Amino acid sequence: MRRMLLPLLALVTACSSTANDRPKDVPRPDIVVRQAGMIFFGSSSSAPVSIDVHIRNNANVPLRLREIELRSMGMTQYELLPHRKTFAETIGPGQSRTFGLAATAITNTSRPQSEPLSMQVNLRFEVNGRGFREVVLERMAGMGM
């Protein structure tokens, strides 16, 4: 029960924090998070994980991406080490960009990991000199795509 409470608390916190930060005249960007390849541990307790974050700017002004942070949530078989990458990328009005990130998954079990990857993605943006955050909660279909 305690494991379920933390992701729920993160969801409530994430949803409440994003609406207050973004300027009212700036629509929420479309954000799609995808796992770009299989997670394969082999005989190791760690494995690389490629994540693509696709962002579409729905605003009439340029959107500047400052940071993307990845972390797994409520997982039992394996987890992502928290990963943060800073950016100074501008996405023009109506434009889309895809940003690739390389994270690391770790496990402490020897059985096959079949659990879907569940993660929280925190994005920090700037528009018209004002910073704001968006939070995306994503559950992948499995360890593959």
Side-chain angles (χ1 to χ4, degrees):
M1 180 69 174
R2 182 175 241 173
R3 281 189 174 265
M4 305 261 311
L5 185 59
L6 289 175
L8 182 59
L9 181 60
L11 174 66
V12 171
T13 303
C15 292
S16 65
S17 66
T18 58
N20 298 332
D21 292 12
R22 186 174 2 93
K24 300 261 187 253
D25 59 340
V26 175
R28 184 181 194 279
D30 293 332
I31 302 167
V32 178
V33 180
R34 297 277 184 242
Q35 185 175 329
M38 300 281 289
I39 300 173
F40 180 70
F41 287 99
S43 61
S44 177
S45 61
S46 67
V49 182
S50 296
I51 303 292
D52 286 338
V53 179
H54 183 78
I55 302 168
R56 176 172 169 72
N57 180 2
N58 294 319
N60 294 327
V61 293
L63 185 64
R64 192 160 177 92
L65 176 64
R66 291 300 196 179
E67 181 179 77
I68 300 176
E69 178 186 15
L70 306 172
R71 67 180 62 207
S72 55
M73 305 181 336
M75 300 186 59
T76 58
Q77 295 178 354
Y78 66 100
E79 65 181 326
L80 286 184
L81 293 176
H83 179 75
R84 177 178 298 180
K85 185 173 181 180
T86 57
F87 295 89
E89 300 289 334
T90 300
I91 306 168
Q95 293 183 341
S96 298
R97 298 272 308 273
T98 299
F99 301 91
L101 290 99
T104 301
I106 59 169
T107 185
N108 60 5
T109 178
S110 60
R111 64 179 180 224
Q113 287 75 28
S114 58
E115 180 177 28
L117 175 58
S118 297
M119 73 174 113
Q120 175 180 333
V121 182
N122 300 312
L123 299 101
R124 194 167 50 89
F125 293 101
E126 187 178 289
V127 64
N128 293 331
R130 293 188 55 200
F132 68 96
R133 291 181 333 134
E134 294 291 344
V135 178
V136 176
L137 303 176
E138 189 69 49
R139 183 172 182 170
M140 306 297 164
M143 287 187 56
M145 313 290 259

